[in-house]
């Protein structure tokens, strides 16, 4: 960590004594406090309750789900869980609107899984791409070296990479599957590539994940690291 001024020194020692949860609450809470007391933005937050206790979900969501309500309380954000029936949901929305109009501060509606009914798009996106995601991943795996490493982006791409290895009875030891860290695959790949300069490191990324942390591209680009190969799959087109 590079400490440049007295404020940074204070923050370093302050954060050193805090857990990751407390740091997140402090940073996000400070931002919401600024919106509340300076800008007074009446912001409605619709938050999916991923990892809700007692509900089946992905492993990376359980920690977040357990602290969801406590985190909102620590940040001073008034909230309620959105009911799954029309009349109750209507009252919750009315309460939220009253809060926004009278307090000029954020209000959150926490949405449980399966609160909303399934909806089918009326106009399906046309997909005339010759490959789907898994086929593209297979081609990449078939054409890299035996000692090359792969960093897979979060989501189905990493799951399919694992399945490809399993079907072929291949080891997973050269693959890093980015679980629950959408957008960070390129940064992880860069770290591995710098630590292992004699090995090629292939980052298999998605278009959405890339957009989440585009600033990482400048870090990768200015590193002059020649053994990192960043492949972006346009999953919005080839996921079907």
């Amino acid at each position: 960590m590079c400490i440049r001024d007295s404020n940074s020194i204070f923050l370093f020692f302050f954060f050193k004594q805090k857990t990751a949860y407390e740091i997140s609450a402090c940073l996000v809470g400070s931002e919401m406090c600024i919106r509340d007391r300076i800008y007074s933005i009446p912001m409605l937050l619709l938050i999916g309750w991923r990892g809700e206790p007692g509900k089946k979900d992905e492993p990376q969501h359980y920690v977040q789900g357990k602290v969801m309500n406590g985190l909102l309380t620590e940040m001073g954000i008034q909230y309620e869980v959105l009911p799954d029936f029309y009349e109750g949901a209507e009252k919750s929305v009315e309460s939220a609107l009253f809060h926004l109009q009278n307090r000029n501060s954020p209000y959150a509606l926490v949405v449980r899984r399966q609160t909303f009914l399934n909806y089918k798009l009326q106009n399906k996106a046309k997909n005339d791409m010759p490959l789907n995601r898994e086929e593209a991943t297979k081609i990449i795996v078939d054409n890299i070296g035996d000692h090359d490493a792969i960093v897979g982006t979060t989501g189905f791409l990493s799951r399919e990479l694992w399945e490809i290895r399993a079907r072929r009875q291949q080891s997973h030891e050269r693959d890093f599957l980015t679980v629950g860290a959408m957008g960070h695959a390129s940064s992880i790949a860069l770290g591995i590539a710098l630590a292992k300069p004699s090995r090629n490191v292939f980052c298999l990324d998605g278009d959405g994940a890339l957009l989440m942390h585009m600033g990482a591209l400048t870090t990768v680009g200015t590193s002059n690291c020649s053994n990192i190969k960043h492949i972006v799959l346009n999953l919005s087109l080839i996921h079907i």
Side-chain angles (χ1 to χ4, degrees):
M1 178 180 291
C2 180
I3 299 177
R4 298 181 181 275
D5 53 41
S6 58
N7 288 333
S8 297
I9 294 174
F10 167 76
L11 290 174
F12 171 74
F13 284 107
F14 174 76
F15 287 151
K16 193 174 182 182
Q17 308 301 320
K18 301 293 182 181
T19 65
Y21 164 71
E22 291 171 324
I23 291 173
S24 298
C26 176
L27 294 177
V28 180
S30 296
E31 182 180 354
M32 299 307 293
C33 179
I34 290 173
R35 293 173 182 169
D36 183 10
R37 298 183 182 179
I38 299 178
Y39 298 116
S40 296
I41 299 177
M43 184 184 303
L44 179 61
L45 308 175
L46 195 63
I47 305 173
W49 197 349
R50 309 194 78 170
E52 179 186 356
K55 297 290 184 69
K56 185 178 179 181
D57 208 326
E58 298 297 328
Q60 67 270 21
H61 297 156
Y62 287 141
V63 173
Q64 136 185 0
K66 186 177 180 180
V67 302
M68 171 67 75
N69 297 343
L71 188 60
L72 290 170
T73 300
E74 289 290 332
M75 291 188 293
I77 299 175
Q78 189 168 337
Y79 73 93
E80 65 178 295
V81 177
L82 186 68
D84 59 359
F85 57 99
Y86 183 83
E87 293 78 7
E90 185 176 30
K91 290 182 178 179
S92 293
V93 172
E94 290 175 354
S95 296
L97 291 175
F98 180 84
H99 176 95
L100 299 176
Q101 293 169 354
N102 290 275
R103 298 191 179 181
N104 287 327
S105 63
Y107 189 95
L109 293 175
V110 178
V111 183
R112 288 190 169 105
R113 190 176 182 180
Q114 297 179 332
T115 295
F116 300 126
L117 297 175
N118 291 330
Y119 177 80
K120 291 184 178 181
L121 294 175
Q122 301 303 311
N123 298 316
K124 292 185 178 181
K126 184 179 179 180
N127 180 14
D128 55 359
M129 303 296 289
L131 294 174
N132 61 28
R133 177 186 54 237
E134 186 171 5
E135 290 169 344
T137 304
K138 286 180 182 177
I139 291 174
I140 295 170
V141 171
D142 289 339
N143 287 276
I144 65 175
D146 293 336
H147 298 287
D148 296 337
I150 297 179
V151 176
T153 190
T154 189
F156 284 103
L157 190 150
S158 280
R159 299 180 193 180
E160 289 165 353
L161 175 59
W162 190 94
E163 291 170 355
I164 290 170
R165 297 291 197 197
R167 283 196 298 268
R168 298 178 178 182
Q169 297 184 336
Q170 297 176 340
S171 172
H172 303 280
E173 64 181 2
R174 294 185 291 113
D175 303 334
F176 184 94
L177 310 181
T178 307
V179 178
M182 189 173 180
H184 292 294
S186 60
S187 298
I188 295 170
L190 176 61
I192 297 173
L194 292 173
K196 302 289 183 179
S198 62
R199 302 178 68 175
N200 286 323
V201 179
F202 288 83
C203 175
L204 306 188
D205 215 348
D207 55 313
L210 178 74
L211 291 172
M212 288 189 71
H213 291 282
M214 291 190 69
L217 296 180
T218 60
T219 303
V220 174
T222 57
S223 68
N224 295 320
C225 186
S226 61
N227 59 319
I228 182 173
K229 319 297 180 184
H230 195 173
I231 301 174
V232 181
L233 303 179
N234 189 350
L235 302 181
S236 61
L237 291 178
I238 66 174
H239 75 285
I240 300 175

